[in-house]
Amino acid sequence: MTEEGLDGARIRVSEEEPDPPIEHHVEDWLAFAIFWGMAIIVFLQFFTRYVLNNSLAWTEEIARYLLMIITFVGAAVAMRRGTHISVEVAHMFLPAPVVRVLSFIIDVLLLGFVGLLCWFSISITRLMQIQTMTVFPWPMSIVYGGIAIGCFLMLWRATGRLIAGAKRGWRPDPNRSELIID
């Protein structure tokens, strides 16, 4: 496509590709909110310790708890994107029918593992109801409940992965790019 410039010369202008749509997912927004909450608390800790020379006692503990929660919520984000670390060398050297069976076994084992993770997270959340945080008189089950939410988000995404794999017959996903850049 060409346009005429100010001096009358013709300028070649290429059309821009449209931006890909922004996806809005629960785990993305939750991770975003937890991350910025943690960043504000850590900055508050830094400011009160090094500028005011009078540190707030609760900031370190709450930042640690938020880091624990964001780890599991972030794992749900990685589960959705399919970016968890994995060993795929067998996929390169095995024949396609064997790779399909292997992919099925991996998805079933993954779903079972994340299901167990959910079950253990609920069990520990119930047990931690009687223990309180060090600085606040709140039950530790709040922290472990946040971890359980991350585990259930992972379970939801692992179930979606299993269903998508079943619909494709555990063949490689044609829509998945090799390099994921955000």
Side-chain angles (χ1 to χ4, degrees):
M1 180 169 130
T2 58
E3 291 182 359
E4 190 171 317
L6 295 176
D7 58 356
R10 298 193 71 42
I11 302 171
R12 183 174 179 169
V13 179
S14 63
E15 290 185 33
E16 291 186 25
E17 293 182 21
D19 290 332
I22 296 175
E23 298 176 345
H24 299 281
H25 298 282
V26 172
E27 61 270 21
D28 290 336
W29 286 105
L30 190 57
F32 180 81
I34 294 169
F35 174 80
W36 280 106
M38 185 174 63
I40 290 167
I41 289 171
V42 169
F43 176 76
L44 183 63
Q45 179 184 20
F46 172 81
F47 183 77
T48 58
R49 176 174 287 171
Y50 295 108
V51 176
L52 301 179
N53 204 21
N54 186 11
S55 181
L56 294 173
W58 60 269
T59 54
E60 183 180 348
E61 182 180 13
I62 299 302
R64 189 174 342 127
Y65 295 152
L66 290 176
L67 182 61
M68 290 167 54
I69 295 168
I70 201 169
T71 300
F72 287 89
V73 173
V77 172
M79 182 74 70
R80 186 193 77 241
R81 293 180 177 179
T83 55
H84 276 289
I85 190 167
S86 63
V87 179
E88 296 180 345
V89 71
H91 288 80
M92 290 188 252
F93 295 111
L94 293 174
V98 177
V99 169
R100 289 174 57 195
V101 171
L102 184 62
S103 295
F104 167 74
I105 292 170
I106 289 170
D107 283 350
V108 169
L109 287 175
L110 179 70
L111 188 65
F113 175 76
V114 175
L116 275 173
L117 202 59
C118 290
W119 185 74
F120 286 130
S121 68
I122 291 297
S123 298
I124 196 78
T125 300
R126 278 188 284 188
L127 290 173
M128 288 295 153
Q129 186 65 37
I130 59 173
Q131 186 174 350
T132 58
M133 295 180 187
T134 306
V135 179
F136 292 121
W138 299 340
M140 282 296 292
S141 61
I142 294 171
V143 176
Y144 288 98
I147 291 171
I149 288 170
C151 291
F152 277 97
L153 286 169
M154 272 194 295
L155 182 66
W156 178 34
R157 294 304 180 180
T159 304
R161 176 183 165 145
L162 182 77
I163 292 169
K167 286 181 181 177
R168 286 191 322 271
W170 280 276
R171 289 178 180 83
D173 187 2
N175 298 326
R176 181 171 184 233
S177 63
E178 291 298 317
L179 180 62
I180 299 174
I181 299 175
D182 285 339

